[in-house]
């Protein structure tokens, strides 16, 4: 029997829901600024509609973590999907810029609830020796949805700028229906399965070197992959290399292909060889790719650099996510810990484009990409001091509940390598 066959059925349901949601997001994302400008606002205001979604996700991530700890993942997951779906569909009927901004912000709250609860549930249900693969599969399902969505969205947007929002809302509500139908009788996702477990706080998690390393790489990867990639590379292509929006899109697609081609393999290696070596290798490759982007003087060189950076990003994701799952373990409630990890990526996605854009304006694109590489190197330095959290690489047995005393930080149930030193 293959390793993947040992995943509980609930994991496959959640992966399918993730694909549906991200497919809908990909359909809608390209037309968000266009719908905003249809209300007579300028480019800055239209761009803020995009930023508002990320800002709201960042601000409400702690609340999402607390909700998961209080009500358990399944309830928060369904509520987040419903809220996101309804609010996004409402964007299709927005009658003003203000209404569009409000609906997109509400959708951001639902999005962070779904994200934190969804990945938390997938990691909790996956045996320790399969967490890297689980994280890789989750990232792959999301990435494939985001890659396929814009292609479908381009066809839909041709008839109406509002229809993609309704399509996204519909796909999200369909995902909620699937989750409710297929998981409503699951004992593993029932609130009673985790409600009585002790709380594992962010303060306790931050005392571990492994969690601090995961936060650092999450911030760096968010800075590069979610921020600078979309904000700086298209400008670099058009204004420095003399390319077009088409060639910029090709470069972004190649980056995504590099990431998608690596996620599953790096997750498997992280489960067999350990999280730390994969994370270190990924950050090294990402740094090399980012530096190469800044040195590109031709489209061929740029596309190659984008592929390298994408591969590095794909190596990092499963390793860092599995590390966080190892630190939390299965015998505690760690919603806020997972939410803070997600916040680090969102913060990087918000800060990265601002800093890199300012450096490009004041000095050069090379300076912007070099500064981005420095962020990756700093994360690499933090990982060099982190311990390995995968012990033995064996697939663990289903968890049993433990007492509060057993679940104290530094014990085995809080992660195989929960180093609680503050140095």
């Amino acid at each position: 029997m293959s390793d993947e066959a040992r995943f509980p059925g609930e994991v496959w349901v959640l992966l399918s829901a993730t694909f549906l949601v991200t497919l809908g997001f990909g359909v809608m994302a390209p037309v968000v600024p266009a719908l905003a400008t249809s209300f007579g606002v300028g480019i800055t205001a239209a761009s803020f509609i995009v930023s508002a979604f990320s800002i709201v996700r960042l601000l409400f991530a702690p609340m999402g973590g607390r909700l998961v700890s209080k009500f358990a993942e399944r309830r928060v997951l369904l509520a987040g999907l419903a809220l996101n779906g309804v609010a996004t569909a409402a964007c299709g009927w927005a009658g003003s810029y203000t209404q569009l901004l409000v609906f997109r912000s509400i959708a951001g709250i639902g999005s962070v609830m779904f994200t934190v609860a969804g990945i938390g549930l997938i990691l909790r249900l996956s045996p320790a020796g399969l967490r890297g693969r689980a994280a890789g599969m989750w990232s792959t399902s999301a990435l494939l949805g985001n890659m396929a969505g814009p292609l479908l969205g381009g066809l839909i947007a041709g008839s109406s700028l509002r229809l993609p929002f309704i399509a996204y809302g519909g796909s999200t509500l369909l995902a909620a229906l699937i989750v409710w139908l297929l998981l409503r009788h699951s004992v593993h996702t029932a609130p009673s399965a985790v409600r009585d477990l002790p709380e594992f706080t962010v303060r306790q998690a931050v005392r571990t070197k492994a969690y601090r390393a995961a936060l650092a790489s999450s911030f760096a990867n968010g800075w590069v992959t979610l921020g600078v990639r979309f904000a700086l590379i298209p400008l670099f292509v058009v204004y420095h290399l003399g390319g077009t929006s088409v060639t910029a899109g090709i470069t972004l697609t190649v980056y995504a292909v590099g990431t998608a081609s690596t996620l599953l393999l790096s997750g498997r290696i992280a489960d067999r060889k350990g999280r730390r070596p994969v994370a270190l290798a990924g950050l090294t490759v990402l740094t090399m790719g980012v530096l190469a982007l800044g040195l590109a003087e031709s489209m061929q060189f740029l596309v190659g650099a984008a592929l390298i950076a994408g591969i590095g990003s794909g190596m990092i994701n499963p390793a860092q996510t599995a590390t966080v799952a190892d630190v939390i373990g299965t015998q505690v409630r760690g919603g806020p810990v997972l939410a803070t990890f997600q916040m680090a990526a969102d913060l990087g996605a918000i800060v990265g484009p601002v800093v890199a854009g300012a450096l490009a304006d004041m000095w050069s694109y090379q300076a912007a990409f070099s500064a981005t590489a420095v962020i990756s190197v700093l994360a690499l330095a933090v990982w060099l001091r982190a311990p390995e959290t995968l012990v033995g690489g064996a697939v663990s047995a289903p968890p049993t509940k433990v007492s509060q005393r057993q679940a104290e930080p530094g014990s085995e149930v809080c992660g195989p390598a929960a180093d609680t030193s503050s140095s």
Side-chain angles (χ1 to χ4, degrees):
M1 181 180 294
S2 66
D3 290 332
E4 286 75 12
R6 284 180 276 179
F7 281 113
E10 292 90 342
V11 170
W12 298 107
V13 173
L14 295 168
L15 292 174
S16 300
T18 300
F19 176 78
L20 277 175
V21 172
T22 53
L23 177 67
F25 182 85
V27 168
M28 174 213 64
V31 302
V32 174
L35 181 60
T37 56
S38 71
F39 295 114
V41 300
I43 296 176
T44 301
S47 299
F48 184 72
I49 289 288
V50 179
S51 300
F53 186 82
S54 298
I55 293 171
V56 168
R57 277 180 52 90
L58 178 66
L59 294 177
F60 280 87
M63 181 199 72
R66 289 193 294 269
L67 289 174
V68 167
S69 289
K70 184 175 182 179
F71 298 106
E73 297 101 335
R74 190 174 69 188
R75 289 178 175 174
V76 178
L77 175 70
L78 289 170
L81 287 171
L83 184 62
N84 188 13
V86 172
T88 301
C91 291
W93 284 280
S96 67
Y97 174 84
T98 301
Q99 288 182 7
L100 180 62
L101 179 61
V102 170
F103 291 146
R104 282 291 290 155
S105 299
I106 295 174
I109 297 175
S111 174
V112 76
M113 291 170 63
F114 159 71
T115 302
V116 173
I119 186 58
L121 190 54
I122 288 174
L123 293 175
R124 181 169 67 82
L125 294 174
S126 301
L130 295 179
R131 285 173 183 159
R133 271 160 282 191
M137 291 163 60
W138 177 72
S139 297
T140 299
S141 64
L143 186 59
L144 291 177
N146 277 321
M147 290 172 66
L151 299 176
L152 181 60
L155 299 176
I156 296 176
S159 58
S160 171
L161 286 177
R162 296 175 180 269
L163 190 56
F165 291 90
I166 300 173
Y168 177 31
S171 68
T172 303
L173 292 175
L174 176 60
L177 178 62
I178 291 173
V179 171
W180 179 77
L181 286 174
L182 298 183
L183 299 188
R184 69 186 190 279
H185 298 308
S186 170
V187 296
H188 301 296
T189 64
S192 58
V194 295
R195 191 156 43 195
D196 296 333
L197 295 178
E199 180 77 20
F200 184 45
T201 67
V202 175
R203 178 176 296 182
Q204 291 169 327
V206 169
R207 288 161 55 187
T208 69
K209 293 179 180 178
Y211 184 68
R212 294 199 297 267
L215 290 181
S217 58
S218 181
F219 177 80
N221 205 26
W223 181 300
V224 180
T225 305
L226 302 178
V228 168
R229 173 166 67 120
F230 292 109
L232 204 62
I233 290 180
L235 297 176
F236 184 72
V237 170
V238 174
Y239 295 109
H240 184 75
L241 296 181
T244 65
S245 58
V246 174
T247 52
I250 292 173
T251 305
L252 295 179
T253 300
V254 169
Y255 191 113
V257 169
T259 301
S261 66
T262 315
L263 285 168
L264 295 180
L265 177 61
S266 60
R268 183 180 295 273
I269 296 174
D271 284 336
R272 293 183 175 178
K273 303 297 183 181
R275 327 303 194 192
R276 185 174 180 271
V278 177
L280 289 172
L283 285 166
T284 301
V285 174
L286 180 65
T287 301
M288 294 169 57
V290 171
L291 286 173
L293 286 171
L295 297 174
E297 293 297 336
S298 68
M299 279 304 306
Q300 292 83 354
F301 191 97
L302 183 72
V303 168
L307 180 64
I308 294 172
I311 290 173
S313 177
M315 295 172 68
I316 296 168
N317 269 320
Q320 66 181 11
T321 305
T323 296
V324 174
D326 292 340
V327 170
I328 296 173
T330 58
Q331 309 301 334
V332 293
R333 290 176 293 134
V337 176
L338 193 59
T340 301
F341 169 69
Q342 179 63 45
M343 284 176 64
D346 287 336
L347 182 61
I350 293 171
V351 176
V354 175
V355 174
L359 290 173
D361 280 337
M362 289 187 293
W363 284 290
S364 64
Y365 284 106
Q366 287 75 18
F369 283 115
S370 296
T372 299
V374 168
I375 299 298
S376 182
V377 170
L378 292 176
L380 179 65
V382 179
W383 267 99
L384 285 172
R385 302 190 62 187
E388 177 57 59
T389 59
L390 177 67
V391 177
V395 177
S396 64
T400 56
K401 292 185 179 181
V402 296
S403 66
Q404 173 73 47
R405 181 187 63 81
Q406 289 174 298
E408 288 298 321
S411 68
E412 183 179 358
V413 296
C414 287
D419 176 11
T420 57
S421 66
S422 60
S423 59

